[in-house]
């Protein structure tokens, strides 16, 4: 009887995994499983800059394009840049693919120097002392024409890091830290 139960559990687990894969939207599944170029279109709401970049060519990250993204995500207050975790860009690309949108991501906050983060903490209880922004692993954003609740829902489904929801401030936070949400 124990052997039967063990085999049955394995088959049930395998069937559940197959069903989960089958339920993924085709575009989302393709973006996760195939080696294809990854393009991001962004607007920085604080600097007025726009950027369209193919940061991954289907086989590897493009170092020059990552450098452009690092500059784009800079702490504009202190004019300091940091290498941004490329997985954050991957996460954002997958999010846009699952949302089926080509609209630019409106960046509100990317990298923050410790000085900037500490200054912001003085004026807001929503700024973490040990923020992933200071590590180059977080961003706050919205996408014009896409509801924040839908962005949040899809970001949570990725299970790729932290997801914060700030509807009163009109942004969603994502990071490449542990999976958690608030």
């Amino acid at each position: 009887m124990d052997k039967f139960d063990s085999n049955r559990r394995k088959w049930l687990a395998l069937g559940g995994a197959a069903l989960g894969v089958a339920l993924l939207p085709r575009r989302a599944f393709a973006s996760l499983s195939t080696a294809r170029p990854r393009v991001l279109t962004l607007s920085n709401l604080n600097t007025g800059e726009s950027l369209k970049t193919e940061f991954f060519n289907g086989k590897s990250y493009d170092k020059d394009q990552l450098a452009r993204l690092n500059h784009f995500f800079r702490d504009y207050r202190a004019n300091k840049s940091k290498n941004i975790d490329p997985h954050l860009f991957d996460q954002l690309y997958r999010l846009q693919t699952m949302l089926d949108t080509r609209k630019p991501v409106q960046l509100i906050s990317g990298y923050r120097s410790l000085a900037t983060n500490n200054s912001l903490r003085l004026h807001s209880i929503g700024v973490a002392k040990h923020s992933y922004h200071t590590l180059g692993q977080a961003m706050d954003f919205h996408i014009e024409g896409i509801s924040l609740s839908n962005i949040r829902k899809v970001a949570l489904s990725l299970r790729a890091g932290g997801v914060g929801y700030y509807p009163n401030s009109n942004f969603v936070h994502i990071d490449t830290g542990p999976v958690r949400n608030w």
Side-chain angles (χ1 to χ4, degrees), residues 73 82-85 88 109-114 117 126-140 160-163 173-180 182:
F73 274 65
K82 183 172 185 74
N83 288 338
I84 304 299
D85 182 352
L88 185 65
S109 183
Y111 167 67
R112 290 188 208 138
S113 66
L114 287 173
N117 198 68
V127 177
K129 182 175 184 177
H130 301 289
S131 171
Y132 280 94
H133 287 277
T134 64
L135 302 174
Q137 293 180 274
M139 67 181 293
D140 300 335
V163 178
H173 165 103
I174 60 172
D175 65 52
T176 58
V179 175
R180 66 212 188 288
W182 59 95

PDB file of all heavy atoms in Angstrom, residues 73 82-85 88 109-114 117 126-140 160-163 173-180 182:
ATOM      1  N   PHE A  73      19.066  54.495 -14.376  1.00  0.00           N
ATOM      2  CA  PHE A  73      18.537  54.186 -13.039  1.00  0.00           C
ATOM      3  C   PHE A  73      19.287  54.921 -11.926  1.00  0.00           C
ATOM      4  O   PHE A  73      19.046  54.674 -10.759  1.00  0.00           O
ATOM      5  CB  PHE A  73      18.605  52.675 -12.784  1.00  0.00           C
ATOM      6  CG  PHE A  73      17.420  51.906 -13.290  1.00  0.00           C
ATOM      7  CD1 PHE A  73      17.131  51.813 -14.632  1.00  0.00           C
ATOM      8  CD2 PHE A  73      16.578  51.252 -12.400  1.00  0.00           C
ATOM      9  CE1 PHE A  73      16.045  51.097 -15.095  1.00  0.00           C
ATOM     10  CE2 PHE A  73      15.481  50.533 -12.843  1.00  0.00           C
ATOM     11  CZ  PHE A  73      15.218  50.457 -14.193  1.00  0.00           C
ATOM     12  N   LYS A  82      25.190  53.094  -9.971  1.00  0.00           N
ATOM     13  CA  LYS A  82      25.615  51.806  -9.422  1.00  0.00           C
ATOM     14  C   LYS A  82      25.226  50.748 -10.442  1.00  0.00           C
ATOM     15  O   LYS A  82      24.275  50.927 -11.193  1.00  0.00           O
ATOM     16  CB  LYS A  82      24.922  51.552  -8.083  1.00  0.00           C
ATOM     17  CG  LYS A  82      25.353  50.267  -7.394  1.00  0.00           C
ATOM     18  CD  LYS A  82      24.782  50.198  -6.000  1.00  0.00           C
ATOM     19  CE  LYS A  82      25.268  49.009  -5.237  1.00  0.00           C
ATOM     20  NZ  LYS A  82      26.650  49.117  -4.777  1.00  0.00           N
ATOM     21  N   ASN A  83      25.961  49.651 -10.460  1.00  0.00           N
ATOM     22  CA  ASN A  83      25.558  48.538 -11.316  1.00  0.00           C
ATOM     23  C   ASN A  83      24.248  47.965 -10.796  1.00  0.00           C
ATOM     24  O   ASN A  83      24.183  47.521  -9.647  1.00  0.00           O
ATOM     25  CB  ASN A  83      26.632  47.454 -11.346  1.00  0.00           C
ATOM     26  CG  ASN A  83      27.846  47.870 -12.138  1.00  0.00           C
ATOM     27  OD1 ASN A  83      27.773  48.761 -12.987  1.00  0.00           O
ATOM     28  ND2 ASN A  83      28.966  47.247 -11.864  1.00  0.00           N
ATOM     29  N   ILE A  84      23.241  48.005 -11.633  1.00  0.00           N
ATOM     30  CA  ILE A  84      21.924  47.483 -11.279  1.00  0.00           C
ATOM     31  C   ILE A  84      21.924  45.981 -11.560  1.00  0.00           C
ATOM     32  O   ILE A  84      22.479  45.530 -12.565  1.00  0.00           O
ATOM     33  CB  ILE A  84      20.816  48.184 -12.099  1.00  0.00           C
ATOM     34  CG1 ILE A  84      20.874  49.715 -11.921  1.00  0.00           C
ATOM     35  CG2 ILE A  84      19.439  47.641 -11.743  1.00  0.00           C
ATOM     36  CD1 ILE A  84      20.674  50.222 -10.520  1.00  0.00           C
ATOM     37  N   ASP A  85      21.313  45.218 -10.680  1.00  0.00           N
ATOM     38  CA  ASP A  85      21.207  43.770 -10.863  1.00  0.00           C
ATOM     39  C   ASP A  85      20.468  43.485 -12.174  1.00  0.00           C
ATOM     40  O   ASP A  85      19.307  43.876 -12.321  1.00  0.00           O
ATOM     41  CB  ASP A  85      20.444  43.175  -9.681  1.00  0.00           C
ATOM     42  CG  ASP A  85      20.309  41.675  -9.717  1.00  0.00           C
ATOM     43  OD1 ASP A  85      20.667  41.042 -10.732  1.00  0.00           O
ATOM     44  OD2 ASP A  85      19.823  41.117  -8.711  1.00  0.00           O
ATOM     45  N   LEU A  88      16.857  42.355 -12.278  1.00  0.00           N
ATOM     46  CA  LEU A  88      15.765  43.321 -12.145  1.00  0.00           C
ATOM     47  C   LEU A  88      15.214  43.668 -13.524  1.00  0.00           C
ATOM     48  O   LEU A  88      13.996  43.749 -13.709  1.00  0.00           O
ATOM     49  CB  LEU A  88      16.244  44.588 -11.430  1.00  0.00           C
ATOM     50  CG  LEU A  88      15.180  45.636 -11.120  1.00  0.00           C
ATOM     51  CD1 LEU A  88      14.151  45.090 -10.122  1.00  0.00           C
ATOM     52  CD2 LEU A  88      15.837  46.894 -10.552  1.00  0.00           C
ATOM     53  N   SER A 109      11.784  55.618  -9.148  1.00  0.00           N
ATOM     54  CA  SER A 109      12.991  55.514  -8.338  1.00  0.00           C
ATOM     55  C   SER A 109      13.719  54.219  -8.676  1.00  0.00           C
ATOM     56  O   SER A 109      13.113  53.154  -8.689  1.00  0.00           O
ATOM     57  CB  SER A 109      12.632  55.541  -6.847  1.00  0.00           C
ATOM     58  OG  SER A 109      13.795  55.505  -6.057  1.00  0.00           O
ATOM     59  N   GLY A 110      15.011  54.349  -8.943  1.00  0.00           N
ATOM     60  CA  GLY A 110      15.869  53.188  -9.177  1.00  0.00           C
ATOM     61  C   GLY A 110      16.889  53.122  -8.055  1.00  0.00           C
ATOM     62  O   GLY A 110      16.537  52.991  -6.883  1.00  0.00           O
ATOM     63  N   TYR A 111      18.162  53.291  -8.416  1.00  0.00           N
ATOM     64  CA  TYR A 111      19.221  53.293  -7.405  1.00  0.00           C
ATOM     65  C   TYR A 111      19.110  54.541  -6.536  1.00  0.00           C
ATOM     66  O   TYR A 111      18.773  55.626  -7.022  1.00  0.00           O
ATOM     67  CB  TYR A 111      20.595  53.267  -8.088  1.00  0.00           C
ATOM     68  CG  TYR A 111      21.729  53.571  -7.145  1.00  0.00           C
ATOM     69  CD1 TYR A 111      22.046  52.686  -6.114  1.00  0.00           C
ATOM     70  CD2 TYR A 111      22.453  54.745  -7.260  1.00  0.00           C
ATOM     71  CE1 TYR A 111      23.065  52.972  -5.227  1.00  0.00           C
ATOM     72  CE2 TYR A 111      23.486  55.037  -6.378  1.00  0.00           C
ATOM     73  CZ  TYR A 111      23.796  54.155  -5.360  1.00  0.00           C
ATOM     74  OH  TYR A 111      24.802  54.442  -4.484  1.00  0.00           O
ATOM     75  N   ARG A 112      19.394  54.354  -5.233  1.00  0.00           N
ATOM     76  CA  ARG A 112      19.483  55.482  -4.295  1.00  0.00           C
ATOM     77  C   ARG A 112      20.775  55.336  -3.501  1.00  0.00           C
ATOM     78  O   ARG A 112      21.035  54.256  -2.945  1.00  0.00           O
ATOM     79  CB  ARG A 112      18.337  55.463  -3.283  1.00  0.00           C
ATOM     80  CG  ARG A 112      16.997  55.784  -3.826  1.00  0.00           C
ATOM     81  CD  ARG A 112      16.016  55.913  -2.653  1.00  0.00           C
ATOM     82  NE  ARG A 112      14.686  55.584  -3.084  1.00  0.00           N
ATOM     83  CZ  ARG A 112      13.821  54.855  -2.404  1.00  0.00           C
ATOM     84  NH1 ARG A 112      14.148  54.351  -1.229  1.00  0.00           N
ATOM     85  NH2 ARG A 112      12.628  54.615  -2.878  1.00  0.00           N
ATOM     86  N   SER A 113      21.550  56.391  -3.433  1.00  0.00           N
ATOM     87  CA  SER A 113      22.732  56.377  -2.567  1.00  0.00           C
ATOM     88  C   SER A 113      22.248  56.309  -1.116  1.00  0.00           C
ATOM     89  O   SER A 113      21.087  56.612  -0.816  1.00  0.00           O
ATOM     90  CB  SER A 113      23.568  57.637  -2.780  1.00  0.00           C
ATOM     91  OG  SER A 113      22.849  58.779  -2.347  1.00  0.00           O
ATOM     92  N   LEU A 114      23.142  55.905  -0.231  1.00  0.00           N
ATOM     93  CA  LEU A 114      22.770  55.853   1.192  1.00  0.00           C
ATOM     94  C   LEU A 114      22.335  57.217   1.698  1.00  0.00           C
ATOM     95  O   LEU A 114      21.371  57.326   2.460  1.00  0.00           O
ATOM     96  CB  LEU A 114      23.930  55.314   2.030  1.00  0.00           C
ATOM     97  CG  LEU A 114      24.203  53.824   1.910  1.00  0.00           C
ATOM     98  CD1 LEU A 114      25.482  53.441   2.652  1.00  0.00           C
ATOM     99  CD2 LEU A 114      23.025  53.018   2.440  1.00  0.00           C
ATOM    100  N   ASN A 117      18.844  57.906   0.420  1.00  0.00           N
ATOM    101  CA  ASN A 117      17.884  57.050   1.109  1.00  0.00           C
ATOM    102  C   ASN A 117      17.632  57.550   2.530  1.00  0.00           C
ATOM    103  O   ASN A 117      16.486  57.619   2.975  1.00  0.00           O
ATOM    104  CB  ASN A 117      18.385  55.597   1.126  1.00  0.00           C
ATOM    105  CG  ASN A 117      17.276  54.617   1.409  1.00  0.00           C
ATOM    106  OD1 ASN A 117      16.377  54.439   0.596  1.00  0.00           O
ATOM    107  ND2 ASN A 117      17.335  53.987   2.573  1.00  0.00           N
ATOM    108  N   GLY A 126       7.666  55.203   4.708  1.00  0.00           N
ATOM    109  CA  GLY A 126       7.659  54.118   3.724  1.00  0.00           C
ATOM    110  C   GLY A 126       9.020  53.794   3.135  1.00  0.00           C
ATOM    111  O   GLY A 126       9.130  52.900   2.298  1.00  0.00           O
ATOM    112  N   VAL A 127      10.070  54.490   3.560  1.00  0.00           N
ATOM    113  CA  VAL A 127      11.414  54.253   3.022  1.00  0.00           C
ATOM    114  C   VAL A 127      12.182  53.380   4.015  1.00  0.00           C
ATOM    115  O   VAL A 127      12.393  53.773   5.166  1.00  0.00           O
ATOM    116  CB  VAL A 127      12.167  55.583   2.766  1.00  0.00           C
ATOM    117  CG1 VAL A 127      13.581  55.316   2.267  1.00  0.00           C
ATOM    118  CG2 VAL A 127      11.393  56.439   1.772  1.00  0.00           C
ATOM    119  N   ALA A 128      12.598  52.209   3.555  1.00  0.00           N
ATOM    120  CA  ALA A 128      13.292  51.246   4.419  1.00  0.00           C
ATOM    121  C   ALA A 128      14.725  51.689   4.706  1.00  0.00           C
ATOM    122  O   ALA A 128      15.411  52.222   3.827  1.00  0.00           O
ATOM    123  CB  ALA A 128      13.305  49.871   3.769  1.00  0.00           C
ATOM    124  N   LYS A 129      15.186  51.437   5.923  1.00  0.00           N
ATOM    125  CA  LYS A 129      16.554  51.770   6.300  1.00  0.00           C
ATOM    126  C   LYS A 129      17.551  50.982   5.459  1.00  0.00           C
ATOM    127  O   LYS A 129      18.551  51.515   4.996  1.00  0.00           O
ATOM    128  CB  LYS A 129      16.765  51.472   7.784  1.00  0.00           C
ATOM    129  CG  LYS A 129      18.139  51.841   8.282  1.00  0.00           C
ATOM    130  CD  LYS A 129      18.265  51.631   9.784  1.00  0.00           C
ATOM    131  CE  LYS A 129      19.620  52.106  10.269  1.00  0.00           C
ATOM    132  NZ  LYS A 129      19.747  51.992  11.730  1.00  0.00           N
ATOM    133  N   HIS A 130      17.296  49.705   5.258  1.00  0.00           N
ATOM    134  CA  HIS A 130      18.180  48.845   4.470  1.00  0.00           C
ATOM    135  C   HIS A 130      17.497  48.523   3.143  1.00  0.00           C
ATOM    136  O   HIS A 130      17.229  47.371   2.822  1.00  0.00           O
ATOM    137  CB  HIS A 130      18.519  47.571   5.246  1.00  0.00           C
ATOM    138  CG  HIS A 130      19.195  47.847   6.546  1.00  0.00           C
ATOM    139  ND1 HIS A 130      20.497  48.310   6.614  1.00  0.00           N
ATOM    140  CD2 HIS A 130      18.759  47.762   7.818  1.00  0.00           C
ATOM    141  CE1 HIS A 130      20.827  48.481   7.886  1.00  0.00           C
ATOM    142  NE2 HIS A 130      19.795  48.168   8.631  1.00  0.00           N
ATOM    143  N   SER A 131      17.232  49.554   2.373  1.00  0.00           N
ATOM    144  CA  SER A 131      16.476  49.437   1.132  1.00  0.00           C
ATOM    145  C   SER A 131      17.277  48.728   0.036  1.00  0.00           C
ATOM    146  O   SER A 131      18.479  48.955  -0.123  1.00  0.00           O
ATOM    147  CB  SER A 131      16.095  50.836   0.641  1.00  0.00           C
ATOM    148  OG  SER A 131      15.543  50.776  -0.647  1.00  0.00           O
ATOM    149  N   TYR A 132      16.580  47.893  -0.740  1.00  0.00           N
ATOM    150  CA  TYR A 132      17.199  47.255  -1.897  1.00  0.00           C
ATOM    151  C   TYR A 132      17.544  48.285  -2.982  1.00  0.00           C
ATOM    152  O   TYR A 132      18.364  48.007  -3.849  1.00  0.00           O
ATOM    153  CB  TYR A 132      16.293  46.146  -2.457  1.00  0.00           C
ATOM    154  CG  TYR A 132      16.412  44.885  -1.642  1.00  0.00           C
ATOM    155  CD1 TYR A 132      15.531  44.617  -0.603  1.00  0.00           C
ATOM    156  CD2 TYR A 132      17.412  43.957  -1.913  1.00  0.00           C
ATOM    157  CE1 TYR A 132      15.651  43.463   0.153  1.00  0.00           C
ATOM    158  CE2 TYR A 132      17.535  42.795  -1.160  1.00  0.00           C
ATOM    159  CZ  TYR A 132      16.657  42.562  -0.127  1.00  0.00           C
ATOM    160  OH  TYR A 132      16.782  41.422   0.622  1.00  0.00           O
ATOM    161  N   HIS A 133      16.957  49.473  -2.900  1.00  0.00           N
ATOM    162  CA  HIS A 133      17.323  50.551  -3.827  1.00  0.00           C
ATOM    163  C   HIS A 133      18.805  50.895  -3.669  1.00  0.00           C
ATOM    164  O   HIS A 133      19.480  51.187  -4.656  1.00  0.00           O
ATOM    165  CB  HIS A 133      16.481  51.805  -3.573  1.00  0.00           C
ATOM    166  CG  HIS A 133      15.070  51.710  -4.022  1.00  0.00           C
ATOM    167  ND1 HIS A 133      14.684  51.948  -5.321  1.00  0.00           N
ATOM    168  CD2 HIS A 133      13.928  51.406  -3.340  1.00  0.00           C
ATOM    169  CE1 HIS A 133      13.365  51.804  -5.427  1.00  0.00           C
ATOM    170  NE2 HIS A 133      12.880  51.471  -4.232  1.00  0.00           N
ATOM    171  N   THR A 134      19.320  50.875  -2.441  1.00  0.00           N
ATOM    172  CA  THR A 134      20.717  51.241  -2.199  1.00  0.00           C
ATOM    173  C   THR A 134      21.688  50.177  -2.703  1.00  0.00           C
ATOM    174  O   THR A 134      22.890  50.437  -2.814  1.00  0.00           O
ATOM    175  CB  THR A 134      20.985  51.500  -0.701  1.00  0.00           C
ATOM    176  OG1 THR A 134      20.786  50.289   0.027  1.00  0.00           O
ATOM    177  CG2 THR A 134      20.088  52.601  -0.165  1.00  0.00           C
ATOM    178  N   LEU A 135      21.177  49.002  -3.010  1.00  0.00           N
ATOM    179  CA  LEU A 135      22.011  47.911  -3.522  1.00  0.00           C
ATOM    180  C   LEU A 135      21.918  47.778  -5.045  1.00  0.00           C
ATOM    181  O   LEU A 135      22.558  46.912  -5.634  1.00  0.00           O
ATOM    182  CB  LEU A 135      21.582  46.582  -2.878  1.00  0.00           C
ATOM    183  CG  LEU A 135      21.631  46.518  -1.355  1.00  0.00           C
ATOM    184  CD1 LEU A 135      21.035  45.209  -0.858  1.00  0.00           C
ATOM    185  CD2 LEU A 135      23.060  46.706  -0.867  1.00  0.00           C
ATOM    186  N   GLY A 136      21.080  48.602  -5.667  1.00  0.00           N
ATOM    187  CA  GLY A 136      20.864  48.489  -7.104  1.00  0.00           C
ATOM    188  C   GLY A 136      20.008  47.285  -7.448  1.00  0.00           C
ATOM    189  O   GLY A 136      20.173  46.680  -8.504  1.00  0.00           O
ATOM    190  N   GLN A 137      19.081  46.947  -6.566  1.00  0.00           N
ATOM    191  CA  GLN A 137      18.249  45.761  -6.758  1.00  0.00           C
ATOM    192  C   GLN A 137      16.753  46.066  -6.695  1.00  0.00           C
ATOM    193  O   GLN A 137      15.951  45.145  -6.522  1.00  0.00           O
ATOM    194  CB  GLN A 137      18.562  44.710  -5.685  1.00  0.00           C
ATOM    195  CG  GLN A 137      19.939  44.113  -5.789  1.00  0.00           C
ATOM    196  CD  GLN A 137      20.157  43.085  -4.704  1.00  0.00           C
ATOM    197  OE1 GLN A 137      20.555  43.420  -3.592  1.00  0.00           O
ATOM    198  NE2 GLN A 137      19.883  41.843  -5.030  1.00  0.00           N
ATOM    199  N   ALA A 138      16.359  47.338  -6.850  1.00  0.00           N
ATOM    200  CA  ALA A 138      14.947  47.682  -6.705  1.00  0.00           C
ATOM    201  C   ALA A 138      14.571  48.848  -7.594  1.00  0.00           C
ATOM    202  O   ALA A 138      15.415  49.652  -7.994  1.00  0.00           O
ATOM    203  CB  ALA A 138      14.637  48.036  -5.250  1.00  0.00           C
ATOM    204  N   MET A 139      13.270  48.918  -7.867  1.00  0.00           N
ATOM    205  CA  MET A 139      12.732  50.052  -8.621  1.00  0.00           C
ATOM    206  C   MET A 139      11.285  50.288  -8.218  1.00  0.00           C
ATOM    207  O   MET A 139      10.569  49.368  -7.824  1.00  0.00           O
ATOM    208  CB  MET A 139      12.828  49.810 -10.122  1.00  0.00           C
ATOM    209  CG  MET A 139      11.948  48.694 -10.650  1.00  0.00           C
ATOM    210  SD  MET A 139      12.105  48.410 -12.428  1.00  0.00           S
ATOM    211  CE  MET A 139      11.415  49.900 -13.104  1.00  0.00           C
ATOM    212  N   ASP A 140      10.859  51.547  -8.323  1.00  0.00           N
ATOM    213  CA  ASP A 140       9.469  51.949  -8.148  1.00  0.00           C
ATOM    214  C   ASP A 140       9.012  52.489  -9.495  1.00  0.00           C
ATOM    215  O   ASP A 140       9.736  53.266 -10.128  1.00  0.00           O
ATOM    216  CB  ASP A 140       9.350  53.051  -7.091  1.00  0.00           C
ATOM    217  CG  ASP A 140       9.858  52.622  -5.722  1.00  0.00           C
ATOM    218  OD1 ASP A 140       9.856  51.414  -5.432  1.00  0.00           O
ATOM    219  OD2 ASP A 140      10.274  53.514  -4.948  1.00  0.00           O
ATOM    220  N   ALA A 160       9.555  36.514  -8.098  1.00  0.00           N
ATOM    221  CA  ALA A 160      10.947  36.782  -8.438  1.00  0.00           C
ATOM    222  C   ALA A 160      11.645  37.689  -7.426  1.00  0.00           C
ATOM    223  O   ALA A 160      12.807  38.014  -7.603  1.00  0.00           O
ATOM    224  CB  ALA A 160      11.024  37.397  -9.833  1.00  0.00           C
ATOM    225  N   GLY A 161      10.951  38.117  -6.391  1.00  0.00           N
ATOM    226  CA  GLY A 161      11.526  39.021  -5.395  1.00  0.00           C
ATOM    227  C   GLY A 161      10.421  39.740  -4.650  1.00  0.00           C
ATOM    228  O   GLY A 161       9.269  39.297  -4.635  1.00  0.00           O
ATOM    229  N   GLY A 162      10.747  40.879  -4.067  1.00  0.00           N
ATOM    230  CA  GLY A 162       9.778  41.647  -3.310  1.00  0.00           C
ATOM    231  C   GLY A 162       8.860  42.461  -4.200  1.00  0.00           C
ATOM    232  O   GLY A 162       9.268  42.943  -5.257  1.00  0.00           O
ATOM    233  N   VAL A 163       7.608  42.600  -3.748  1.00  0.00           N
ATOM    234  CA  VAL A 163       6.612  43.400  -4.461  1.00  0.00           C
ATOM    235  C   VAL A 163       5.905  44.281  -3.429  1.00  0.00           C
ATOM    236  O   VAL A 163       5.290  43.780  -2.491  1.00  0.00           O
ATOM    237  CB  VAL A 163       5.575  42.516  -5.191  1.00  0.00           C
ATOM    238  CG1 VAL A 163       4.518  43.384  -5.871  1.00  0.00           C
ATOM    239  CG2 VAL A 163       6.256  41.592  -6.187  1.00  0.00           C
ATOM    240  N   HIS A 173       6.496  48.685  -6.371  1.00  0.00           N
ATOM    241  CA  HIS A 173       7.911  48.435  -6.116  1.00  0.00           C
ATOM    242  C   HIS A 173       8.194  46.980  -6.452  1.00  0.00           C
ATOM    243  O   HIS A 173       7.419  46.097  -6.077  1.00  0.00           O
ATOM    244  CB  HIS A 173       8.207  48.691  -4.630  1.00  0.00           C
ATOM    245  CG  HIS A 173       9.518  48.146  -4.160  1.00  0.00           C
ATOM    246  ND1 HIS A 173      10.624  48.947  -3.965  1.00  0.00           N
ATOM    247  CD2 HIS A 173       9.902  46.888  -3.826  1.00  0.00           C
ATOM    248  CE1 HIS A 173      11.624  48.192  -3.543  1.00  0.00           C
ATOM    249  NE2 HIS A 173      11.210  46.938  -3.458  1.00  0.00           N
ATOM    250  N   ILE A 174       9.294  46.731  -7.172  1.00  0.00           N
ATOM    251  CA  ILE A 174       9.781  45.356  -7.335  1.00  0.00           C
ATOM    252  C   ILE A 174      11.268  45.351  -6.996  1.00  0.00           C
ATOM    253  O   ILE A 174      11.951  46.359  -7.153  1.00  0.00           O
ATOM    254  CB  ILE A 174       9.550  44.772  -8.756  1.00  0.00           C
ATOM    255  CG1 ILE A 174      10.242  45.576  -9.839  1.00  0.00           C
ATOM    256  CG2 ILE A 174       8.066  44.597  -9.033  1.00  0.00           C
ATOM    257  CD1 ILE A 174      10.208  44.933 -11.227  1.00  0.00           C
ATOM    258  N   ASP A 175      11.727  44.211  -6.483  1.00  0.00           N
ATOM    259  CA  ASP A 175      13.156  44.064  -6.214  1.00  0.00           C
ATOM    260  C   ASP A 175      13.559  42.609  -6.418  1.00  0.00           C
ATOM    261  O   ASP A 175      12.725  41.746  -6.626  1.00  0.00           O
ATOM    262  CB  ASP A 175      13.520  44.579  -4.809  1.00  0.00           C
ATOM    263  CG  ASP A 175      12.896  43.795  -3.673  1.00  0.00           C
ATOM    264  OD1 ASP A 175      13.025  42.548  -3.650  1.00  0.00           O
ATOM    265  OD2 ASP A 175      12.281  44.412  -2.789  1.00  0.00           O
ATOM    266  N   THR A 176      14.868  42.375  -6.368  1.00  0.00           N
ATOM    267  CA  THR A 176      15.394  41.033  -6.594  1.00  0.00           C
ATOM    268  C   THR A 176      15.826  40.375  -5.282  1.00  0.00           C
ATOM    269  O   THR A 176      16.614  39.436  -5.283  1.00  0.00           O
ATOM    270  CB  THR A 176      16.583  41.050  -7.578  1.00  0.00           C
ATOM    271  OG1 THR A 176      17.611  41.906  -7.066  1.00  0.00           O
ATOM    272  CG2 THR A 176      16.141  41.536  -8.948  1.00  0.00           C
ATOM    273  N   GLY A 177      15.282  40.867  -4.185  1.00  0.00           N
ATOM    274  CA  GLY A 177      15.539  40.242  -2.885  1.00  0.00           C
ATOM    275  C   GLY A 177      14.670  39.016  -2.709  1.00  0.00           C
ATOM    276  O   GLY A 177      14.111  38.476  -3.672  1.00  0.00           O
ATOM    277  N   PRO A 178      14.512  38.553  -1.459  1.00  0.00           N
ATOM    278  CA  PRO A 178      13.660  37.386  -1.185  1.00  0.00           C
ATOM    279  C   PRO A 178      12.210  37.642  -1.614  1.00  0.00           C
ATOM    280  O   PRO A 178      11.756  38.794  -1.638  1.00  0.00           O
ATOM    281  CB  PRO A 178      13.740  37.214   0.330  1.00  0.00           C
ATOM    282  CG  PRO A 178      14.911  38.032   0.775  1.00  0.00           C
ATOM    283  CD  PRO A 178      15.125  39.088  -0.244  1.00  0.00           C
ATOM    284  N   VAL A 179      11.493  36.580  -1.916  1.00  0.00           N
ATOM    285  CA  VAL A 179      10.080  36.701  -2.295  1.00  0.00           C
ATOM    286  C   VAL A 179       9.284  37.104  -1.054  1.00  0.00           C
ATOM    287  O   VAL A 179       9.305  36.419  -0.031  1.00  0.00           O
ATOM    288  CB  VAL A 179       9.555  35.364  -2.875  1.00  0.00           C
ATOM    289  CG1 VAL A 179       8.059  35.454  -3.142  1.00  0.00           C
ATOM    290  CG2 VAL A 179      10.310  35.002  -4.143  1.00  0.00           C
ATOM    291  N   ARG A 180       8.602  38.250  -1.160  1.00  0.00           N
ATOM    292  CA  ARG A 180       7.759  38.775  -0.078  1.00  0.00           C
ATOM    293  C   ARG A 180       6.901  39.875  -0.675  1.00  0.00           C
ATOM    294  O   ARG A 180       7.157  40.304  -1.784  1.00  0.00           O
ATOM    295  CB  ARG A 180       8.620  39.311   1.081  1.00  0.00           C
ATOM    296  CG  ARG A 180       9.424  40.516   0.684  1.00  0.00           C
ATOM    297  CD  ARG A 180      10.754  40.612   1.421  1.00  0.00           C
ATOM    298  NE  ARG A 180      11.391  41.883   1.121  1.00  0.00           N
ATOM    299  CZ  ARG A 180      11.933  42.196  -0.041  1.00  0.00           C
ATOM    300  NH1 ARG A 180      11.933  41.349  -1.036  1.00  0.00           N
ATOM    301  NH2 ARG A 180      12.488  43.379  -0.228  1.00  0.00           N
ATOM    302  N   TRP A 182       4.105  43.437   0.373  1.00  0.00           N
ATOM    303  CA  TRP A 182       3.488  44.334   1.339  1.00  0.00           C
ATOM    304  C   TRP A 182       2.593  45.304   0.623  1.00  0.00           C
ATOM    305  O   TRP A 182       2.593  45.403  -0.576  1.00  0.00           O
ATOM    306  CB  TRP A 182       4.548  45.078   2.173  1.00  0.00           C
ATOM    307  CG  TRP A 182       5.494  45.898   1.393  1.00  0.00           C
ATOM    308  CD1 TRP A 182       5.403  47.234   1.132  1.00  0.00           C
ATOM    309  CD2 TRP A 182       6.684  45.454   0.722  1.00  0.00           C
ATOM    310  NE1 TRP A 182       6.451  47.646   0.347  1.00  0.00           N
ATOM    311  CE2 TRP A 182       7.257  46.575   0.086  1.00  0.00           C
ATOM    312  CE3 TRP A 182       7.323  44.240   0.580  1.00  0.00           C
ATOM    313  CZ2 TRP A 182       8.424  46.499  -0.659  1.00  0.00           C
ATOM    314  CZ3 TRP A 182       8.484  44.172  -0.156  1.00  0.00           C
ATOM    315  CH2 TRP A 182       9.023  45.284  -0.770  1.00  0.00           C
TER     316      TRP A 182
END
